[in-house]
Amino acid sequence: MRLIHSIAELRESLAGERESAFVPTMGNLHAGHVGLARIAARHGRPVVASIFVNPLQFGAGEDFARYPRTLHADCEKLAAVGTDIVFAPDLDEMYAEPQTFTVRPPLADELCGAHRPGHFEGVATVVLKLFNMVQPRYAVFGKKDYQQLFILKGMVRQFNLPIVMLEAETERAADGLALSSRNGYLSAAERAEAPRLYRLLRAAAERVGAGARDFAGIEAEATQALARHGWAVDYVAVRSRASLLPPRPDEHELVILAAARLGATRLIDNIEC
Ligand code: PAF
């Protein structure tokens, strides 16, 4: 496996490759990321993973500075599942000049975007830059970041990028907690509490699946249950899978998404129903 830090070297090593499969990450990899690299390896070669903690997608007071940087361990995990190239640019390489051209996606102010102003602009902008650097045939993203995936699929479609977007189911711990690099921030007591988010989403999804249409009531109940157990809830929302907007009365392909904080740690999760 080659570890590459410069865009020029990346381009040189990918010259002529038309079937590469790409996994963008911010590092601190867990089994979910490794699963994305495995999917990539089943679809294309060479497999390229990027590791870059993107300041553009973090707001003031968020965890950019303390986001864990674990390049060596990440490379070992990626090598073990057949990744050919790890691209890990530094800040100056990625943003050689201030990024004044940015991508402002639709839905940028919805759901997580309402609580993290500028976040999806930062995500879409860095992913577009990475796509231009790697020029992959396939790109793999996890469904845990449901809104991110939705927005990036829209970007690929609307900008006619010749990339096949592959999506991976959320990997979970045995108690249901969605794997996330941010789980490492949780204290032992918070980690014991954290699976409640998924339990409540599952219960809500079962009700919706059984035909309940009182979405506001379902959202409020889950929000109150989380708040009673010490969570600060950003949102629990039943949305259309097709639009990520509140569902029309005749829509049945739905997803319930939630974001909430336990102490200083913000967790997100979702379930399709
Ligand atoms: O999902 C992530 O890890 C990041 O948002 C991404 C897609 C690598 C962009 O920085």
Side-chain angles (χ1 to χ4, degrees), residues 41-101:
R42 287 205 299 272
H43 283 82
R45 284 284 165 186
V47 174
V48 183
S50 64
I51 296 178
F52 178 69
V53 185
N54 172 35
L56 230 56
Q57 69 189 78
F58 289 79
E62 291 190 346
D63 54 343
F64 173 70
R66 69 172 176 139
Y67 200 88
R69 274 87 167 160
T70 52
L71 182 62
H72 183 70
D74 292 343
C75 286
E76 285 184 350
K77 289 176 191 169
L78 290 167
V81 291
T83 304
D84 300 294
I85 294 175
V86 172
F87 175 51
D90 68 13
L91 268 176
D92 290 337
E93 185 71 1
M94 182 59 80
Y95 296 115
E97 56 181 285
Q99 189 74 29
T100 50
F101 286 95

Side-chain angles (χ1 to χ4, degrees), residues 24-27 33 50 52-54 57 67 119 122-123 126-127 130 141 145 148 152:
T25 82
M26 297 203 301
H33 296 110
S50 64
F52 178 69
V53 185
N54 172 35
Q57 69 189 78
Y67 200 88
H119 171 67
V123 169
V126 82
V127 171
L130 287 164
F141 293 87
D145 295 299
Q148 166 174 287
L152 294 176

Side-chain angles (χ1 to χ4, degrees), residues 22-25 30-43 138-150 152-153 164-172 178-179 255 269-272:
F22 179 41
V23 182
T25 82
H30 51 66
H33 296 110
V34 173
L36 303 185
R38 281 208 178 90
I39 292 174
R42 287 205 299 272
H43 283 82
Y138 303 94
V140 195
F141 293 87
K143 283 168 83 169
K144 178 178 158 278
D145 295 299
Y146 204 90
Q147 187 178 7
Q148 166 174 287
L149 175 61
F150 184 94
L152 294 176
K153 285 197 300 192
V164 178
M165 294 288 275
L166 304 170
E167 41 196 84
E169 293 302 326
T170 301
E171 296 267 355
R172 299 184 180 279
L179 298 191
V255 55
D269 206 345
N270 64 79
I271 184 163
E272 291 176 333

Side-chain angles (χ1 to χ4, degrees), residues 194-206:
R196 187 180 308 280
L197 184 61
Y198 180 56
R199 284 202 301 274
L200 287 169
L201 283 180
R202 242 185 22 205
E206 273 166 26

Side-chain angles (χ1 to χ4, degrees), residues 26-30 33 67-68 144 178-185:
M26 297 203 301
N28 194 227
L29 304 183
H30 51 66
H33 296 110
Y67 200 88
K144 178 178 158 278
L179 298 191
S180 162
S181 301
R182 291 190 167 99
N183 292 351
Y185 298 153

